[in-house]
Amino acid sequence: MLRCHRNHHHRTMNGLYTILLLILSNVFMTLAWYGHLKLSEAGVSNNWPLLGVIVFSWGIAFLEYCCQVPANRMGFIGNGGPFTLVQLKVVQECISLAVFAVIANIMFQGQNLHWNHILAFLFIILAVYLVFMK
């Protein structure tokens, strides 16, 4: 009984760490993919060659992978985590959209969310629900 409780606690903690690492990973991912647009908008990177922008984004993406890979390893059911491969992917996509929405609203304030965007996010949340159904 004690061992079963310990395993459940271990899976729960792995699940929590997975979600936190996925959030952090997606912050870095969003900054890597779209941060250079803000730098360009601010005039910081206008004279950078495209290769320079790519290398800059890769530097940020490296931090994304430093969070993403451990999140997937500890969250995967085959490694003692609580999530199947499909569940990991759908949860990651949901987190990705939520993080993107927050960062886009902070960095690009003219990019408002409309009803259809919110409806699309609700469908993603519905996908998370469906993927966890037995």
Side-chain angles (χ1 to χ4, degrees), residues 2-19:
L2 184 59
R3 181 182 166 133
C4 181
H5 176 71
R6 227 180 291 158
N7 284 342
H8 176 72
H9 177 72
H10 182 71
R11 281 189 194 279
T12 301
M13 292 309 294
N14 277 0
L16 178 63
Y17 293 142
T18 296
I19 298 298

Side-chain angles (χ1 to χ4, degrees), residues 72-90:
N72 286 332
R73 286 184 67 91
M74 77 175 55
F76 182 56
I77 200 162
N79 292 334
F83 304 116
T84 66
L85 188 62
V86 173
Q87 289 170 337
L88 269 172
K89 182 59 182 169
V90 174

Side-chain angles (χ1 to χ4, degrees), residues 25-45:
S25 165
N26 278 281
V27 168
F28 288 127
M29 180 193 72
T30 303
L31 292 175
W33 285 16
Y34 306 106
H36 63 89
L37 298 174
K38 188 63 176 176
L39 290 178
S40 179
E41 193 177 79
V44 173
S45 64

Side-chain angles (χ1 to χ4, degrees), residues 63-126:
L63 299 172
E64 172 207 347
Y65 277 80
C66 288
C67 298
Q68 180 77 23
V69 171
N72 286 332
R73 286 184 67 91
M74 77 175 55
F76 182 56
I77 200 162
N79 292 334
F83 304 116
T84 66
L85 188 62
V86 173
Q87 289 170 337
L88 269 172
K89 182 59 182 169
V90 174
V91 166
Q92 189 280 328
E93 291 299 330
C94 188
I95 290 171
S96 177
L97 285 173
V99 167
F100 172 80
V102 169
I103 290 178
N105 268 335
I106 292 170
M107 287 176 53
F108 299 96
Q109 294 183 356
Q111 302 286 318
N112 296 326
L113 291 176
H114 300 287
W115 71 267
N116 56 323
H117 303 139
I118 293 169
L119 182 60
F121 289 164
L122 290 174
F123 282 135
I124 296 292
I125 293 168
L126 178 61

